[in-house]
Amino acid sequence: MEKRLGLGKEKKLSEAWKVFDEFIYKCLNLKDENNEEQKSGLVSSLTREGQGGTSGDSRKFITDTLLNLMIAGRDTTSTALSWFFYLLAQNPTVEKNIRDEIKKHLGGGKWESLGVKELGELVYLHGGLFEALRLYPPIAFEHKSPSTADVLPSGHVVDEHARIILSFYSMGRMEGIWGEDCMEFKPERWFSSGGGIKHEPSYKFTAFHAGPRTCLGKEMSLIQMKMVATAILYHYHVELVEGHEVCASDSIILQMKYGLKVRLFLININQAS
């Protein structure tokens, strides 16, 4: 009824959608006018031949994809970082190791920007973020319904009216999947034997979903989280506010019910041991 009459939240949603479309189409028109020769980048990859979605309209496909990236990545990224810093505050040794790694690979902190190459060298930071995502996945559970009757690999028959609940939160804490130390915050879990980053199948590490439903913004969100975490940890030591209760809220996204209250202590990275 609100949508039909243009009232309340539906009115705000329609107005916001209009503003977003105007902004995106303005950027696309500007790109066309400049006749950019650059063939790489998100927009260029989305506008290449065959990227029109089910509608066949490439511009609508681009706006829908960018809207999905913005909405899906806002609360999930902030939630992942909150749980990451919560775990670091409980594991000061891990925080120190990450800070030492940043100091080793990024030097004196005079970097004007952080690129994919520099952030890719921070293996301990990567492991810490992935451990936070394993223990506290922003999307804690998903539900699936088959379009037609099917049989699961386990042999269970699923009809078209069934609904399957996938608890990513539980899967990240199962001994049968992650071993006896599944409840430990252990960044080393993500180290390869050669000292690089260890890959785990997406059907095992489900924080970014798997298969055709893999998160479109996976790499972008990882870069964002690494940038924020690096900038904060390089300059500050994080401590939880004494007495502050940290628990998950009852929502689709695994946010903290009362937020994360911390104290930041400015450090001198050159003197940190």
Side-chain angles (χ1 to χ4, degrees), residues 44-67:
S44 297
S45 64
L46 292 176
T47 54
R48 70 178 184 270
E49 185 178 355
Q51 292 289 356
T54 57
S55 67
D57 185 340
S58 61
R59 290 219 160 188
K60 186 178 186 305
F61 174 77
I62 292 172
T63 56
D64 289 347
T65 301
L66 294 177
L67 177 64

mmCIF file with all atom_site columns, all heavy atoms in Angstrom, residues 44-67:
data_model
loop_
_atom_site.group_PDB
_atom_site.id
_atom_site.type_symbol
_atom_site.label_atom_id
_atom_site.label_alt_id
_atom_site.label_comp_id
_atom_site.label_asym_id
_atom_site.label_entity_id
_atom_site.label_seq_id
_atom_site.pdbx_PDB_ins_code
_atom_site.Cartn_x
_atom_site.Cartn_y
_atom_site.Cartn_z
_atom_site.occupancy
_atom_site.B_iso_or_equiv
_atom_site.pdbx_formal_charge
_atom_site.auth_seq_id
_atom_site.auth_comp_id
_atom_site.auth_asym_id
_atom_site.auth_atom_id
_atom_site.pdbx_PDB_model_num
ATOM 1   N N   . SER A 1 44 ? 34.484 -1.050  -17.493 1.00 0.00 ? 44 SER A N   1
ATOM 2   C CA  . SER A 1 44 ? 34.880 -1.566  -18.810 1.00 0.00 ? 44 SER A CA  1
ATOM 3   C C   . SER A 1 44 ? 34.591 -3.051  -18.945 1.00 0.00 ? 44 SER A C   1
ATOM 4   O O   . SER A 1 44 ? 34.125 -3.525  -19.980 1.00 0.00 ? 44 SER A O   1
ATOM 5   C CB  . SER A 1 44 ? 36.372 -1.305  -19.048 1.00 0.00 ? 44 SER A CB  1
ATOM 6   O OG  . SER A 1 44 ? 36.642 0.087   -19.073 1.00 0.00 ? 44 SER A OG  1
ATOM 7   N N   . SER A 1 45 ? 34.851 -3.798  -17.873 1.00 0.00 ? 45 SER A N   1
ATOM 8   C CA  . SER A 1 45 ? 34.601 -5.240  -17.914 1.00 0.00 ? 45 SER A CA  1
ATOM 9   C C   . SER A 1 45 ? 33.112 -5.545  -17.974 1.00 0.00 ? 45 SER A C   1
ATOM 10  O O   . SER A 1 45 ? 32.692 -6.507  -18.612 1.00 0.00 ? 45 SER A O   1
ATOM 11  C CB  . SER A 1 45 ? 35.226 -5.920  -16.687 1.00 0.00 ? 45 SER A CB  1
ATOM 12  O OG  . SER A 1 45 ? 34.602 -5.473  -15.496 1.00 0.00 ? 45 SER A OG  1
ATOM 13  N N   . LEU A 1 46 ? 32.304 -4.700  -17.337 1.00 0.00 ? 46 LEU A N   1
ATOM 14  C CA  . LEU A 1 46 ? 30.857 -4.920  -17.342 1.00 0.00 ? 46 LEU A CA  1
ATOM 15  C C   . LEU A 1 46 ? 30.223 -4.534  -18.669 1.00 0.00 ? 46 LEU A C   1
ATOM 16  O O   . LEU A 1 46 ? 29.163 -5.056  -19.029 1.00 0.00 ? 46 LEU A O   1
ATOM 17  C CB  . LEU A 1 46 ? 30.202 -4.122  -16.209 1.00 0.00 ? 46 LEU A CB  1
ATOM 18  C CG  . LEU A 1 46 ? 30.512 -4.578  -14.782 1.00 0.00 ? 46 LEU A CG  1
ATOM 19  C CD1 . LEU A 1 46 ? 29.872 -3.636  -13.772 1.00 0.00 ? 46 LEU A CD1 1
ATOM 20  C CD2 . LEU A 1 46 ? 30.026 -6.003  -14.548 1.00 0.00 ? 46 LEU A CD2 1
ATOM 21  N N   . THR A 1 47 ? 30.844 -3.617  -19.389 1.00 0.00 ? 47 THR A N   1
ATOM 22  C CA  . THR A 1 47 ? 30.273 -3.145  -20.649 1.00 0.00 ? 47 THR A CA  1
ATOM 23  C C   . THR A 1 47 ? 30.771 -3.935  -21.850 1.00 0.00 ? 47 THR A C   1
ATOM 24  O O   . THR A 1 47 ? 30.361 -3.656  -22.980 1.00 0.00 ? 47 THR A O   1
ATOM 25  C CB  . THR A 1 47 ? 30.619 -1.653  -20.879 1.00 0.00 ? 47 THR A CB  1
ATOM 26  O OG1 . THR A 1 47 ? 32.031 -1.476  -20.774 1.00 0.00 ? 47 THR A OG1 1
ATOM 27  C CG2 . THR A 1 47 ? 29.930 -0.784  -19.849 1.00 0.00 ? 47 THR A CG2 1
ATOM 28  N N   . ARG A 1 48 ? 31.644 -4.906  -21.625 1.00 0.00 ? 48 ARG A N   1
ATOM 29  C CA  . ARG A 1 48 ? 32.132 -5.682  -22.754 1.00 0.00 ? 48 ARG A CA  1
ATOM 30  C C   . ARG A 1 48 ? 30.991 -6.538  -23.324 1.00 0.00 ? 48 ARG A C   1
ATOM 31  O O   . ARG A 1 48 ? 29.975 -6.753  -22.700 1.00 0.00 ? 48 ARG A O   1
ATOM 32  C CB  . ARG A 1 48 ? 33.302 -6.560  -22.344 1.00 0.00 ? 48 ARG A CB  1
ATOM 33  C CG  . ARG A 1 48 ? 32.974 -7.724  -21.420 1.00 0.00 ? 48 ARG A CG  1
ATOM 34  C CD  . ARG A 1 48 ? 34.227 -8.542  -21.130 1.00 0.00 ? 48 ARG A CD  1
ATOM 35  N NE  . ARG A 1 48 ? 33.935 -9.702  -20.336 1.00 0.00 ? 48 ARG A NE  1
ATOM 36  C CZ  . ARG A 1 48 ? 33.958 -9.735  -19.017 1.00 0.00 ? 48 ARG A CZ  1
ATOM 37  N NH1 . ARG A 1 48 ? 34.249 -8.627  -18.344 1.00 0.00 ? 48 ARG A NH1 1
ATOM 38  N NH2 . ARG A 1 48 ? 33.691 -10.839 -18.361 1.00 0.00 ? 48 ARG A NH2 1
ATOM 39  N N   . GLU A 1 49 ? 31.185 -7.039  -24.505 1.00 0.00 ? 49 GLU A N   1
ATOM 40  C CA  . GLU A 1 49 ? 30.144 -7.785  -25.206 1.00 0.00 ? 49 GLU A CA  1
ATOM 41  C C   . GLU A 1 49 ? 29.687 -8.984  -24.388 1.00 0.00 ? 49 GLU A C   1
ATOM 42  O O   . GLU A 1 49 ? 30.478 -9.737  -23.845 1.00 0.00 ? 49 GLU A O   1
ATOM 43  C CB  . GLU A 1 49 ? 30.686 -8.268  -26.559 1.00 0.00 ? 49 GLU A CB  1
ATOM 44  C CG  . GLU A 1 49 ? 29.645 -8.963  -27.414 1.00 0.00 ? 49 GLU A CG  1
ATOM 45  C CD  . GLU A 1 49 ? 30.211 -9.389  -28.756 1.00 0.00 ? 49 GLU A CD  1
ATOM 46  O OE1 . GLU A 1 49 ? 31.381 -9.051  -29.037 1.00 0.00 ? 49 GLU A OE1 1
ATOM 47  O OE2 . GLU A 1 49 ? 29.475 -10.048 -29.499 1.00 0.00 ? 49 GLU A OE2 1
ATOM 48  N N   . GLY A 1 50 ? 28.401 -9.141  -24.309 1.00 0.00 ? 50 GLY A N   1
ATOM 49  C CA  . GLY A 1 50 ? 27.827 -10.282 -23.596 1.00 0.00 ? 50 GLY A CA  1
ATOM 50  C C   . GLY A 1 50 ? 27.417 -9.972  -22.180 1.00 0.00 ? 50 GLY A C   1
ATOM 51  O O   . GLY A 1 50 ? 26.784 -10.782 -21.520 1.00 0.00 ? 50 GLY A O   1
ATOM 52  N N   . GLN A 1 51 ? 27.773 -8.794  -21.651 1.00 0.00 ? 51 GLN A N   1
ATOM 53  C CA  . GLN A 1 51 ? 27.405 -8.432  -20.294 1.00 0.00 ? 51 GLN A CA  1
ATOM 54  C C   . GLN A 1 51 ? 26.142 -7.565  -20.309 1.00 0.00 ? 51 GLN A C   1
ATOM 55  O O   . GLN A 1 51 ? 26.184 -6.372  -20.120 1.00 0.00 ? 51 GLN A O   1
ATOM 56  C CB  . GLN A 1 51 ? 28.559 -7.688  -19.620 1.00 0.00 ? 51 GLN A CB  1
ATOM 57  C CG  . GLN A 1 51 ? 29.781 -8.555  -19.365 1.00 0.00 ? 51 GLN A CG  1
ATOM 58  C CD  . GLN A 1 51 ? 29.549 -9.568  -18.264 1.00 0.00 ? 51 GLN A CD  1
ATOM 59  O OE1 . GLN A 1 51 ? 28.511 -9.584  -17.627 1.00 0.00 ? 51 GLN A OE1 1
ATOM 60  N NE2 . GLN A 1 51 ? 30.508 -10.433 -18.037 1.00 0.00 ? 51 GLN A NE2 1
ATOM 61  N N   . GLY A 1 52 ? 25.006 -8.199  -20.556 1.00 0.00 ? 52 GLY A N   1
ATOM 62  C CA  . GLY A 1 52 ? 23.752 -7.456  -20.587 1.00 0.00 ? 52 GLY A CA  1
ATOM 63  C C   . GLY A 1 52 ? 22.725 -7.992  -19.626 1.00 0.00 ? 52 GLY A C   1
ATOM 64  O O   . GLY A 1 52 ? 21.593 -7.489  -19.559 1.00 0.00 ? 52 GLY A O   1
ATOM 65  N N   . GLY A 1 53 ? 23.094 -9.032  -18.888 1.00 0.00 ? 53 GLY A N   1
ATOM 66  C CA  . GLY A 1 53 ? 22.142 -9.601  -17.952 1.00 0.00 ? 53 GLY A CA  1
ATOM 67  C C   . GLY A 1 53 ? 20.968 -10.232 -18.672 1.00 0.00 ? 53 GLY A C   1
ATOM 68  O O   . GLY A 1 53 ? 20.968 -10.428 -19.887 1.00 0.00 ? 53 GLY A O   1
ATOM 69  N N   . THR A 1 54 ? 19.935 -10.560 -17.928 1.00 0.00 ? 54 THR A N   1
ATOM 70  C CA  . THR A 1 54 ? 18.760 -11.202 -18.521 1.00 0.00 ? 54 THR A CA  1
ATOM 71  C C   . THR A 1 54 ? 17.944 -10.235 -19.353 1.00 0.00 ? 54 THR A C   1
ATOM 72  O O   . THR A 1 54 ? 17.199 -10.643 -20.241 1.00 0.00 ? 54 THR A O   1
ATOM 73  C CB  . THR A 1 54 ? 17.874 -11.793 -17.411 1.00 0.00 ? 54 THR A CB  1
ATOM 74  O OG1 . THR A 1 54 ? 17.516 -10.750 -16.497 1.00 0.00 ? 54 THR A OG1 1
ATOM 75  C CG2 . THR A 1 54 ? 18.592 -12.894 -16.657 1.00 0.00 ? 54 THR A CG2 1
ATOM 76  N N   . SER A 1 55 ? 18.041 -8.944  -19.082 1.00 0.00 ? 55 SER A N   1
ATOM 77  C CA  . SER A 1 55 ? 17.263 -7.956  -19.820 1.00 0.00 ? 55 SER A CA  1
ATOM 78  C C   . SER A 1 55 ? 17.874 -7.611  -21.171 1.00 0.00 ? 55 SER A C   1
ATOM 79  O O   . SER A 1 55 ? 17.195 -7.099  -22.053 1.00 0.00 ? 55 SER A O   1
ATOM 80  C CB  . SER A 1 55 ? 17.125 -6.669  -18.991 1.00 0.00 ? 55 SER A CB  1
ATOM 81  O OG  . SER A 1 55 ? 18.383 -6.036  -18.853 1.00 0.00 ? 55 SER A OG  1
ATOM 82  N N   . GLY A 1 56 ? 19.179 -7.874  -21.332 1.00 0.00 ? 56 GLY A N   1
ATOM 83  C CA  . GLY A 1 56 ? 19.854 -7.510  -22.561 1.00 0.00 ? 56 GLY A CA  1
ATOM 84  C C   . GLY A 1 56 ? 20.268 -6.050  -22.616 1.00 0.00 ? 56 GLY A C   1
ATOM 85  O O   . GLY A 1 56 ? 20.896 -5.604  -23.580 1.00 0.00 ? 56 GLY A O   1
ATOM 86  N N   . ASP A 1 57 ? 19.934 -5.286  -21.601 1.00 0.00 ? 57 ASP A N   1
ATOM 87  C CA  . ASP A 1 57 ? 20.277 -3.860  -21.519 1.00 0.00 ? 57 ASP A CA  1
ATOM 88  C C   . ASP A 1 57 ? 21.565 -3.721  -20.713 1.00 0.00 ? 57 ASP A C   1
ATOM 89  O O   . ASP A 1 57 ? 21.572 -3.905  -19.502 1.00 0.00 ? 57 ASP A O   1
ATOM 90  C CB  . ASP A 1 57 ? 19.134 -3.092  -20.850 1.00 0.00 ? 57 ASP A CB  1
ATOM 91  C CG  . ASP A 1 57 ? 19.365 -1.585  -20.851 1.00 0.00 ? 57 ASP A CG  1
ATOM 92  O OD1 . ASP A 1 57 ? 20.524 -1.161  -21.016 1.00 0.00 ? 57 ASP A OD1 1
ATOM 93  O OD2 . ASP A 1 57 ? 18.385 -0.841  -20.677 1.00 0.00 ? 57 ASP A OD2 1
ATOM 94  N N   . SER A 1 58 ? 22.674 -3.395  -21.386 1.00 0.00 ? 58 SER A N   1
ATOM 95  C CA  . SER A 1 58 ? 23.966 -3.358  -20.704 1.00 0.00 ? 58 SER A CA  1
ATOM 96  C C   . SER A 1 58 ? 24.013 -2.284  -19.624 1.00 0.00 ? 58 SER A C   1
ATOM 97  O O   . SER A 1 58 ? 24.631 -2.467  -18.580 1.00 0.00 ? 58 SER A O   1
ATOM 98  C CB  . SER A 1 58 ? 25.094 -3.129  -21.722 1.00 0.00 ? 58 SER A CB  1
ATOM 99  O OG  . SER A 1 58 ? 24.920 -1.899  -22.396 1.00 0.00 ? 58 SER A OG  1
ATOM 100 N N   . ARG A 1 59 ? 23.353 -1.146  -19.879 1.00 0.00 ? 59 ARG A N   1
ATOM 101 C CA  . ARG A 1 59 ? 23.397 -0.059  -18.890 1.00 0.00 ? 59 ARG A CA  1
ATOM 102 C C   . ARG A 1 59 ? 22.601 -0.428  -17.650 1.00 0.00 ? 59 ARG A C   1
ATOM 103 O O   . ARG A 1 59 ? 23.006 -0.131  -16.529 1.00 0.00 ? 59 ARG A O   1
ATOM 104 C CB  . ARG A 1 59 ? 22.856 1.231   -19.500 1.00 0.00 ? 59 ARG A CB  1
ATOM 105 C CG  . ARG A 1 59 ? 23.783 1.823   -20.541 1.00 0.00 ? 59 ARG A CG  1
ATOM 106 C CD  . ARG A 1 59 ? 23.813 3.314   -20.447 1.00 0.00 ? 59 ARG A CD  1
ATOM 107 N NE  . ARG A 1 59 ? 25.005 3.871   -21.089 1.00 0.00 ? 59 ARG A NE  1
ATOM 108 C CZ  . ARG A 1 59 ? 25.347 5.145   -21.010 1.00 0.00 ? 59 ARG A CZ  1
ATOM 109 N NH1 . ARG A 1 59 ? 24.602 5.976   -20.326 1.00 0.00 ? 59 ARG A NH1 1
ATOM 110 N NH2 . ARG A 1 59 ? 26.445 5.578   -21.582 1.00 0.00 ? 59 ARG A NH2 1
ATOM 111 N N   . LYS A 1 60 ? 21.477 -1.052  -17.838 1.00 0.00 ? 60 LYS A N   1
ATOM 112 C CA  . LYS A 1 60 ? 20.691 -1.480  -16.674 1.00 0.00 ? 60 LYS A CA  1
ATOM 113 C C   . LYS A 1 60 ? 21.451 -2.558  -15.902 1.00 0.00 ? 60 LYS A C   1
ATOM 114 O O   . LYS A 1 60 ? 21.438 -2.587  -14.671 1.00 0.00 ? 60 LYS A O   1
ATOM 115 C CB  . LYS A 1 60 ? 19.332 -2.024  -17.111 1.00 0.00 ? 60 LYS A CB  1
ATOM 116 C CG  . LYS A 1 60 ? 18.407 -2.356  -15.931 1.00 0.00 ? 60 LYS A CG  1
ATOM 117 C CD  . LYS A 1 60 ? 17.062 -2.835  -16.407 1.00 0.00 ? 60 LYS A CD  1
ATOM 118 C CE  . LYS A 1 60 ? 16.113 -3.011  -15.214 1.00 0.00 ? 60 LYS A CE  1
ATOM 119 N NZ  . LYS A 1 60 ? 16.647 -3.898  -14.183 1.00 0.00 ? 60 LYS A NZ  1
ATOM 120 N N   . PHE A 1 61 ? 22.149 -3.417  -16.641 1.00 0.00 ? 61 PHE A N   1
ATOM 121 C CA  . PHE A 1 61 ? 22.954 -4.453  -16.004 1.00 0.00 ? 61 PHE A CA  1
ATOM 122 C C   . PHE A 1 61 ? 24.042 -3.829  -15.128 1.00 0.00 ? 61 PHE A C   1
ATOM 123 O O   . PHE A 1 61 ? 24.293 -4.268  -14.002 1.00 0.00 ? 61 PHE A O   1
ATOM 124 C CB  . PHE A 1 61 ? 23.584 -5.342  -17.073 1.00 0.00 ? 61 PHE A CB  1
ATOM 125 C CG  . PHE A 1 61 ? 24.562 -6.362  -16.535 1.00 0.00 ? 61 PHE A CG  1
ATOM 126 C CD1 . PHE A 1 61 ? 24.115 -7.504  -15.904 1.00 0.00 ? 61 PHE A CD1 1
ATOM 127 C CD2 . PHE A 1 61 ? 25.926 -6.158  -16.655 1.00 0.00 ? 61 PHE A CD2 1
ATOM 128 C CE1 . PHE A 1 61 ? 25.012 -8.435  -15.396 1.00 0.00 ? 61 PHE A CE1 1
ATOM 129 C CE2 . PHE A 1 61 ? 26.833 -7.080  -16.159 1.00 0.00 ? 61 PHE A CE2 1
ATOM 130 C CZ  . PHE A 1 61 ? 26.366 -8.222  -15.527 1.00 0.00 ? 61 PHE A CZ  1
ATOM 131 N N   . ILE A 1 62 ? 24.686 -2.765  -15.642 1.00 0.00 ? 62 ILE A N   1
ATOM 132 C CA  . ILE A 1 62 ? 25.745 -2.087  -14.899 1.00 0.00 ? 62 ILE A CA  1
ATOM 133 C C   . ILE A 1 62 ? 25.181 -1.435  -13.632 1.00 0.00 ? 62 ILE A C   1
ATOM 134 O O   . ILE A 1 62 ? 25.738 -1.590  -12.544 1.00 0.00 ? 62 ILE A O   1
ATOM 135 C CB  . ILE A 1 62 ? 26.435 -1.027  -15.778 1.00 0.00 ? 62 ILE A CB  1
ATOM 136 C CG1 . ILE A 1 62 ? 27.207 -1.706  -16.906 1.00 0.00 ? 62 ILE A CG1 1
ATOM 137 C CG2 . ILE A 1 62 ? 27.391 -0.172  -14.945 1.00 0.00 ? 62 ILE A CG2 1
ATOM 138 C CD1 . ILE A 1 62 ? 27.758 -0.748  -17.922 1.00 0.00 ? 62 ILE A CD1 1
ATOM 139 N N   . THR A 1 63 ? 24.085 -0.696  -13.765 1.00 0.00 ? 63 THR A N   1
ATOM 140 C CA  . THR A 1 63 ? 23.520 -0.012  -12.603 1.00 0.00 ? 63 THR A CA  1
ATOM 141 C C   . THR A 1 63 ? 23.048 -1.014  -11.547 1.00 0.00 ? 63 THR A C   1
ATOM 142 O O   . THR A 1 63 ? 23.253 -0.805  -10.356 1.00 0.00 ? 63 THR A O   1
ATOM 143 C CB  . THR A 1 63 ? 22.341 0.895   -13.012 1.00 0.00 ? 63 THR A CB  1
ATOM 144 O OG1 . THR A 1 63 ? 21.357 0.121   -13.704 1.00 0.00 ? 63 THR A OG1 1
ATOM 145 C CG2 . THR A 1 63 ? 22.805 2.005   -13.915 1.00 0.00 ? 63 THR A CG2 1
ATOM 146 N N   . ASP A 1 64 ? 22.444 -2.113  -11.994 1.00 0.00 ? 64 ASP A N   1
ATOM 147 C CA  . ASP A 1 64 ? 21.986 -3.134  -11.038 1.00 0.00 ? 64 ASP A CA  1
ATOM 148 C C   . ASP A 1 64 ? 23.164 -3.775  -10.317 1.00 0.00 ? 64 ASP A C   1
ATOM 149 O O   . ASP A 1 64 ? 23.113 -4.028  -9.107  1.00 0.00 ? 64 ASP A O   1
ATOM 150 C CB  . ASP A 1 64 ? 21.174 -4.215  -11.759 1.00 0.00 ? 64 ASP A CB  1
ATOM 151 C CG  . ASP A 1 64 ? 19.818 -3.724  -12.228 1.00 0.00 ? 64 ASP A CG  1
ATOM 152 O OD1 . ASP A 1 64 ? 19.405 -2.628  -11.775 1.00 0.00 ? 64 ASP A OD1 1
ATOM 153 O OD2 . ASP A 1 64 ? 19.170 -4.410  -13.029 1.00 0.00 ? 64 ASP A OD2 1
ATOM 154 N N   . THR A 1 65 ? 24.246 -4.035  -11.063 1.00 0.00 ? 65 THR A N   1
ATOM 155 C CA  . THR A 1 65 ? 25.435 -4.656  -10.467 1.00 0.00 ? 65 THR A CA  1
ATOM 156 C C   . THR A 1 65 ? 26.096 -3.724  -9.458  1.00 0.00 ? 65 THR A C   1
ATOM 157 O O   . THR A 1 65 ? 26.468 -4.141  -8.352  1.00 0.00 ? 65 THR A O   1
ATOM 158 C CB  . THR A 1 65 ? 26.447 -5.042  -11.558 1.00 0.00 ? 65 THR A CB  1
ATOM 159 O OG1 . THR A 1 65 ? 25.830 -5.952  -12.474 1.00 0.00 ? 65 THR A OG1 1
ATOM 160 C CG2 . THR A 1 65 ? 27.674 -5.702  -10.945 1.00 0.00 ? 65 THR A CG2 1
ATOM 161 N N   . LEU A 1 66 ? 26.241 -2.436  -9.818  1.00 0.00 ? 66 LEU A N   1
ATOM 162 C CA  . LEU A 1 66 ? 26.866 -1.480  -8.918  1.00 0.00 ? 66 LEU A CA  1
ATOM 163 C C   . LEU A 1 66 ? 26.016 -1.244  -7.678  1.00 0.00 ? 66 LEU A C   1
ATOM 164 O O   . LEU A 1 66 ? 26.538 -1.080  -6.570  1.00 0.00 ? 66 LEU A O   1
ATOM 165 C CB  . LEU A 1 66 ? 27.111 -0.156  -9.648  1.00 0.00 ? 66 LEU A CB  1
ATOM 166 C CG  . LEU A 1 66 ? 28.141 -0.224  -10.780 1.00 0.00 ? 66 LEU A CG  1
ATOM 167 C CD1 . LEU A 1 66 ? 28.261 1.128   -11.478 1.00 0.00 ? 66 LEU A CD1 1
ATOM 168 C CD2 . LEU A 1 66 ? 29.501 -0.649  -10.249 1.00 0.00 ? 66 LEU A CD2 1
ATOM 169 N N   . LEU A 1 67 ? 24.687 -1.224  -7.859  1.00 0.00 ? 67 LEU A N   1
ATOM 170 C CA  . LEU A 1 67 ? 23.797 -1.089  -6.703  1.00 0.00 ? 67 LEU A CA  1
ATOM 171 C C   . LEU A 1 67 ? 23.964 -2.273  -5.760  1.00 0.00 ? 67 LEU A C   1
ATOM 172 O O   . LEU A 1 67 ? 24.024 -2.113  -4.533  1.00 0.00 ? 67 LEU A O   1
ATOM 173 C CB  . LEU A 1 67 ? 22.340 -0.987  -7.171  1.00 0.00 ? 67 LEU A CB  1
ATOM 174 C CG  . LEU A 1 67 ? 21.283 -0.904  -6.068  1.00 0.00 ? 67 LEU A CG  1
ATOM 175 C CD1 . LEU A 1 67 ? 21.472 0.373   -5.259  1.00 0.00 ? 67 LEU A CD1 1
ATOM 176 C CD2 . LEU A 1 67 ? 19.878 -0.952  -6.648  1.00 0.00 ? 67 LEU A CD2 1
#
